[in-house]
Amino acid sequence: MANPAVLDFPAYYALIALQADYAAALDAGEWERWPEFFLDDCVYTLQPRENYDRGLPLATIALESKGMLLDRVYGIRETLFHDPYYQRHVTGLPLIRGMEGDTILTETSYAVFRTKQDQLSEVMNVGRYLDRVQPTGSGLKFAARLCVFDSEMIPNSVIYPI
Amino acid sequence: MDSTTAAPATRAWQDDGSSRVPFSVYTSADLHRRELERFFYRGHWNYVGLSAEIPAPGDFKRTLIGERSVLLVRDQDGGINVVENVCAHRGVSFCRERFGNKRNFRCPYHQWNYDLKGNLIGLPFRRGVRQDGKTNGGMPADFTLEEHGLTKLAVAVRHGVVFASFDPAVESLEAFLGPAVLGYFDRVFDGRELKVLGYSKQRIPGNWKLMQENIKDPYHPGLLHSWFVTFGLWRADQRSEMVTDAHGRHACMISRRNEGGASEVTQGVASFKEKMTLHDDRILDVVPEDWWGGPSVVMMTLFPGLIIQQQVNSLSTRHIQPDGPDHFNFVWTHFGFADDTPEMERRRLRQANLFGPAGLVSADDGEVIELSQVGFRQKPDAATYAELDGRGTGGADHMVTETLIRSMYAYWRRVMEV
């Protein structure tokens, strides 16, 4: 179970600063910064809650290394045709689920809004991050970030990372 | 009448052909109702799922045929039934879970009970309630359980794939598919046990037929999809074949991958990225499988509502669920085989990054479909122009053609009588 006393405040502050910086980078469209939040050996998935809950392995996006994240960035920049849009993350406070050595296990709710040109803003994707966060010489990095989303329907497509 | 009225007239078909589809065919509510009636509810088999999704007695799955909610359920005898999710009493759409296991179905409103074959087996107060020596209420003397079951659909299961039809007079599934398409169906589904890997669901703001067209259109993948042209997964210099059934409604697009790289077909193609290399190429770790029998990709469209994908090691069914003329939900079920090695299952899951609502290939199909629908709404007096490789219909031995789209609309016009 959660043990809120497991991190002291400076450690917790570092964790929420990581989350805030991650959201700001994506909301600013700074795609080159996105892989830098991760270890070289990392996992990033965007997975429907239905699959996660039922133990079905398929994810909407399933990346297994920083290299795959870099390839996704290339796809966003160079190969995927899409209607342009802004996205805006609203991220809750991380709940500390536990520690494994110095790796922090956390769960954090998020909502991502999408705004297309000339259109009303809409809720694009709602879910929770299940993170494994690792201290490194250059700050906290994600060893794993699983985005498990409640949203039953993806509104057409997901181009940018969540 | 004010002669300055700006609204353009809706255009009708201008000729007897099928290469110039009026934009109103994608936007008309009247045509949409007729399509539901004639394609989804009569004379056609519609996909409802894989038998591997409901392996045990009592297992059920809720899904859609056209815009009607149905339940796919395995009964105590192991048989698969499909019933409509509407209570015979007051019309309640009684089943709310998408998957589960039940001994019977009970409507929450007045507790009418149905067995797993859809038969009504009981209901409260059928014989009334005794009070003060007399019986109050109860069903009329001529009431029978047999007359008030759920709507039961015709069911066809072939090699683990389940189809259903509201039409009891529908021809056999094998006749419906025809021998050529059936052969490609059996290439993927040869009776091996299937394993469901998971689902992806997207809502696309476009007419449902645009998704059928997208997978009957071998012209676009080597142009819209950089990954296909750059890495040789689909491009115009490959040996390929386009196959239809005798009616032109179903189709298979068959091809063999090549090494990619620059050639005649990449000249002037903006999406070709000669210098593109991957940081981690495991996503394209393709291992040929014996059952492919040559082709590395076969994309099947079964009219009206199913696409079966085999693109290298990635397999999925894609279920088109229309919702009015301007939207459809698109449900992907990725699968492998029960005897896959862990490495092969992992490979299928990795390659799934190319497909689905965030796929490095498929995401932009949804995007362009949305934008076609915008154009259709804007310019109702216009029509498409699908005349690559002429105005004819039927198969082809290359991919520089729109013949499969024309074949589908020739069939559509016959059935729709427009």
Side-chain angles (χ1 to χ4, degrees), chain B residues 216-219 242 388-389 396 398-403 406:
Chain B
K216 292 180 192 284
D217 167 12
Y219 184 14
M242 305 298 126
L388 186 71
D389 193 33
H398 60 88
M399 62 169 74
V400 194
T401 182
E402 293 176 310
T403 184
R406 295 189 292 271

Side-chain angles (χ1 to χ4, degrees), chain B residues 167-199:
Chain B
D167 185 350
V170 66
E171 64 191 317
S172 74
L173 177 68
E174 289 72 20
F176 173 71
L177 295 178
V181 173
L182 186 64
Y184 284 102
F185 181 94
D186 287 349
R187 173 178 170 274
V188 178
F189 303 108
D190 64 359
R192 285 171 292 176
E193 192 180 342
L194 305 177
K195 181 177 180 185
V196 174
L197 299 178
Y199 304 93

Side-chain angles (χ1 to χ4, degrees), chain A residues 48 50-51 54 56-58 62 64-65 67 71-72 74 78-81 83 116 152 154 156-158, chain B residues 98-99 197-199 201-203 226-227 273 276 279-280 334 346 350 353 357-358 360 364 366-367 370:
Chain A
E50 176 178 22
N51 292 351
R54 296 182 60 200
L56 298 170
L58 182 75
E64 298 166 71
S65 67
D71 293 334
R72 180 79 196 180
Y74 184 84
E78 301 292 337
T79 76
L80 275 168
F81 169 77
D83 218 12
K116 287 189 167 191
E152 276 281 307
I154 287 174
N156 203 343
S157 64
V158 173
Chain B
R98 192 157 44 237
F99 289 93
L197 299 178
Y199 304 93
K201 292 182 288 187
Q202 60 188 134
R203 181 168 174 80
S226 293
W227 285 65
K273 307 286 181 189
M276 178 174 172
H279 293 88
D280 185 335
H334 284 255
R346 175 59 73 86
R350 270 194 198 118
N353 281 297
L360 288 161
D364 32 27
E367 293 287 305
E370 177 173 351

Side-chain angles (χ1 to χ4, degrees), chain A residues 72-133:
Chain A
R72 180 79 196 180
V73 169
Y74 184 84
I76 295 166
R77 284 255 188 251
E78 301 292 337
T79 76
L80 275 168
F81 169 77
H82 61 282
D83 218 12
Y85 63 93
Y86 298 131
Q87 61 178 14
R88 179 68 50 192
H89 288 67
V90 177
T91 309
L93 285 174
L95 176 65
I96 310 304
R97 285 292 192 191
M99 301 287 294
E100 281 181 14
D102 57 359
T103 301
I104 313 165
L105 311 183
T106 73
E107 175 176 334
T108 312
S109 290
Y110 69 80
V112 180
F113 299 88
R114 181 175 79 176
T115 307
K116 287 189 167 191
Q117 293 177 16
D118 307 312
Q119 296 184 35
L120 299 174
S121 297
E122 60 186 346
V123 178
M124 178 182 181
N125 194 268
V126 175
R128 67 194 200 273
Y129 294 121
L130 301 176
D131 296 331
R132 298 173 61 87
V133 181

